[in-house]
mmCIF file of all heavy atoms in Angstrom:
data_model
loop_
_atom_site.group_PDB
_atom_site.id
_atom_site.type_symbol
_atom_site.label_atom_id
_atom_site.label_comp_id
_atom_site.label_asym_id
_atom_site.label_seq_id
_atom_site.Cartn_x
_atom_site.Cartn_y
_atom_site.Cartn_z
ATOM 1 N N ASP A 61 8.279 5.286 -5.539
ATOM 2 C CA ASP A 61 7.740 4.141 -4.816
ATOM 3 C C ASP A 61 8.005 4.383 -3.332
ATOM 4 O O ASP A 61 8.352 3.467 -2.579
ATOM 5 C CB ASP A 61 8.428 2.804 -5.298
ATOM 6 C CG ASP A 61 7.724 1.587 -4.661
ATOM 7 O OD1 ASP A 61 6.551 1.704 -4.256
ATOM 8 O OD2 ASP A 61 8.359 0.506 -4.645
ATOM 9 N N TYR A 64 11.393 3.118 -1.804
ATOM 10 C CA TYR A 64 11.965 1.861 -2.280
ATOM 11 C C TYR A 64 12.627 2.062 -3.669
ATOM 12 O O TYR A 64 12.988 1.103 -4.354
ATOM 13 C CB TYR A 64 10.900 0.722 -2.309
ATOM 14 C CG TYR A 64 10.611 0.251 -0.929
ATOM 15 C CD1 TYR A 64 9.582 0.741 -0.129
ATOM 16 C CD2 TYR A 64 11.436 -0.743 -0.332
ATOM 17 C CE1 TYR A 64 9.375 0.309 1.160
ATOM 18 C CE2 TYR A 64 11.224 -1.158 0.960
ATOM 19 C CZ TYR A 64 10.185 -0.684 1.704
ATOM 20 O OH TYR A 64 9.972 -1.098 2.977
ATOM 21 N N HIS A 104 17.407 -3.133 -6.787
ATOM 22 C CA HIS A 104 17.251 -2.068 -7.762
ATOM 23 C C HIS A 104 17.540 -0.732 -7.173
ATOM 24 O O HIS A 104 17.505 -0.575 -5.939
ATOM 25 C CB HIS A 104 15.815 -2.094 -8.335
ATOM 26 C CG HIS A 104 14.768 -2.135 -7.281
ATOM 27 N ND1 HIS A 104 14.136 -3.319 -6.932
ATOM 28 C CD2 HIS A 104 14.249 -1.196 -6.487
ATOM 29 C CE1 HIS A 104 13.268 -3.093 -5.981
ATOM 30 N NE2 HIS A 104 13.300 -1.757 -5.685
ATOM 31 N N PHE A 168 10.558 -4.750 -10.605
ATOM 32 C CA PHE A 168 9.356 -4.281 -9.901
ATOM 33 C C PHE A 168 8.699 -3.206 -10.739
ATOM 34 O O PHE A 168 7.967 -3.570 -11.678
ATOM 35 C CB PHE A 168 9.748 -3.739 -8.480
ATOM 36 C CG PHE A 168 8.544 -3.738 -7.539
ATOM 37 C CD1 PHE A 168 8.014 -4.930 -7.100
ATOM 38 C CD2 PHE A 168 7.942 -2.573 -7.170
ATOM 39 C CE1 PHE A 168 6.874 -4.918 -6.271
ATOM 40 C CE2 PHE A 168 6.811 -2.548 -6.369
ATOM 41 C CZ PHE A 168 6.294 -3.747 -5.892
ATOM 42 N N GLN A 172 12.437 1.455 -11.443
ATOM 43 C CA GLN A 172 13.390 0.786 -10.515
ATOM 44 C C GLN A 172 14.231 -0.216 -11.247
ATOM 45 O O GLN A 172 14.011 -1.440 -11.152
ATOM 46 C CB GLN A 172 12.581 0.122 -9.365
ATOM 47 C CG GLN A 172 11.899 1.127 -8.458
ATOM 48 C CD GLN A 172 10.747 0.498 -7.663
ATOM 49 O OE1 GLN A 172 9.952 -0.242 -8.225
ATOM 50 N NE2 GLN A 172 10.710 0.797 -6.367
ATOM 51 N N ARG A 202 16.740 -5.153 6.979
ATOM 52 C CA ARG A 202 15.646 -5.892 6.317
ATOM 53 C C ARG A 202 15.987 -5.788 4.862
ATOM 54 O O ARG A 202 16.318 -4.657 4.355
ATOM 55 C CB ARG A 202 14.305 -5.233 6.628
ATOM 56 C CG ARG A 202 13.100 -5.851 5.964
ATOM 57 C CD ARG A 202 12.719 -5.020 4.726
ATOM 58 N NE ARG A 202 11.513 -5.533 4.122
ATOM 59 C CZ ARG A 202 11.056 -5.115 2.952
ATOM 60 N NH1 ARG A 202 11.716 -4.234 2.253
ATOM 61 N NH2 ARG A 202 9.943 -5.617 2.457
ATOM 62 N N ASP A 204 15.132 -5.863 1.084
ATOM 63 C CA ASP A 204 14.006 -5.768 0.181
ATOM 64 C C ASP A 204 14.204 -6.674 -1.038
ATOM 65 O O ASP A 204 15.302 -6.696 -1.608
ATOM 66 C CB ASP A 204 13.887 -4.326 -0.283
ATOM 67 C CG ASP A 204 12.690 -4.065 -1.151
ATOM 68 O OD1 ASP A 204 11.603 -4.109 -0.618
ATOM 69 O OD2 ASP A 204 12.867 -3.848 -2.381
ATOM 70 N N MET A 205 13.205 -7.379 -1.399
ATOM 71 C CA MET A 205 13.201 -8.240 -2.636
ATOM 72 C C MET A 205 14.490 -9.083 -2.728
ATOM 73 O O MET A 205 15.057 -9.196 -3.824
ATOM 74 C CB MET A 205 13.014 -7.395 -3.867
ATOM 75 C CG MET A 205 11.575 -7.071 -4.150
ATOM 76 S SD MET A 205 11.330 -6.107 -5.652
ATOM 77 C CE MET A 205 11.664 -7.308 -6.918
ATOM 78 N N GLU A 268 13.450 -10.470 2.728
ATOM 79 C CA GLU A 268 12.123 -10.522 2.127
ATOM 80 C C GLU A 268 12.267 -11.437 0.910
ATOM 81 O O GLU A 268 12.822 -11.052 -0.115
ATOM 82 C CB GLU A 268 11.647 -9.149 1.656
ATOM 83 C CG GLU A 268 10.216 -9.188 1.142
ATOM 84 C CD GLU A 268 9.801 -8.019 0.229
ATOM 85 O OE1 GLU A 268 10.677 -7.535 -0.530
ATOM 86 O OE2 GLU A 268 8.679 -7.620 0.261
ATOM 87 N N HIS A 328 3.469 -2.932 5.356
ATOM 88 C CA HIS A 328 3.071 -1.706 4.613
ATOM 89 C C HIS A 328 2.553 -2.003 3.242
ATOM 90 O O HIS A 328 2.245 -1.095 2.454
ATOM 91 C CB HIS A 328 4.273 -0.772 4.554
ATOM 92 C CG HIS A 328 5.400 -1.391 3.745
ATOM 93 N ND1 HIS A 328 6.086 -2.520 4.193
ATOM 94 C CD2 HIS A 328 5.981 -1.086 2.562
ATOM 95 C CE1 HIS A 328 7.004 -2.879 3.322
ATOM 96 N NE2 HIS A 328 6.973 -1.990 2.339
ATOM 97 N N ASP A 329 2.514 -3.280 2.885
ATOM 98 C CA ASP A 329 2.003 -3.639 1.507
ATOM 99 C C ASP A 329 0.685 -4.344 1.528
ATOM 100 O O ASP A 329 0.034 -4.443 0.475
ATOM 101 C CB ASP A 329 3.008 -4.593 0.861
ATOM 102 C CG ASP A 329 4.340 -3.976 0.548
ATOM 103 O OD1 ASP A 329 4.397 -2.759 0.281
ATOM 104 O OD2 ASP A 329 5.374 -4.696 0.560
ATOM 105 N N ARG A 404 -2.066 0.536 -1.910
ATOM 106 C CA ARG A 404 -1.387 0.326 -0.592
ATOM 107 C C ARG A 404 -1.458 1.558 0.294
ATOM 108 O O ARG A 404 -1.128 1.468 1.481
ATOM 109 C CB ARG A 404 0.081 -0.072 -0.872
ATOM 110 C CG ARG A 404 0.207 -1.402 -1.595
ATOM 111 C CD ARG A 404 1.626 -1.782 -1.878
ATOM 112 N NE ARG A 404 2.251 -0.821 -2.805
ATOM 113 C CZ ARG A 404 3.548 -0.827 -3.142
ATOM 114 N NH1 ARG A 404 4.365 -1.725 -2.663
ATOM 115 N NH2 ARG A 404 4.021 0.098 -4.016
ATOM 116 N N ARG A 408 -1.283 2.584 4.780
ATOM 117 C CA ARG A 408 -0.135 3.482 5.119
ATOM 118 C C ARG A 408 -0.604 4.816 5.667
ATOM 119 O O ARG A 408 0.144 5.804 5.690
ATOM 120 C CB ARG A 408 0.707 3.719 3.850
ATOM 121 C CG ARG A 408 1.286 2.471 3.311
ATOM 122 C CD ARG A 408 1.974 2.681 1.967
ATOM 123 N NE ARG A 408 2.603 1.437 1.513
ATOM 124 C CZ ARG A 408 3.277 1.320 0.372
ATOM 125 N NH1 ARG A 408 3.371 2.344 -0.475
ATOM 126 N NH2 ARG A 408 3.823 0.168 0.033
HETATM 127 C C1 NOJ B 1 8.832 -4.754 -1.430
HETATM 128 C C2 NOJ B 1 8.431 -3.604 -0.599
HETATM 129 O O1 NOJ B 1 7.828 -4.130 0.599
HETATM 130 C C3 NOJ B 1 7.442 -2.794 -1.371
HETATM 131 O O2 NOJ B 1 6.874 -1.760 -0.605
HETATM 132 C C4 NOJ B 1 8.210 -2.184 -2.532
HETATM 133 O O3 NOJ B 1 7.307 -1.443 -3.352
HETATM 134 C C5 NOJ B 1 8.856 -3.282 -3.353
HETATM 135 N N1 NOJ B 1 9.527 -4.254 -2.561
HETATM 136 C C6 NOJ B 1 9.854 -2.688 -4.350
HETATM 137 O O4 NOJ B 1 11.057 -2.321 -3.724
#
Side-chain angles (χ1 to χ4, degrees):
D61 190 20
Y64 284 94
H104 49 261
F168 202 71
Q172 292 160 313
R202 176 261 186 191
D204 186 70
M205 278 182 72
E268 185 200 35
H328 62 296
D329 292 330
R404 296 177 297 174
R408 298 173 176 180

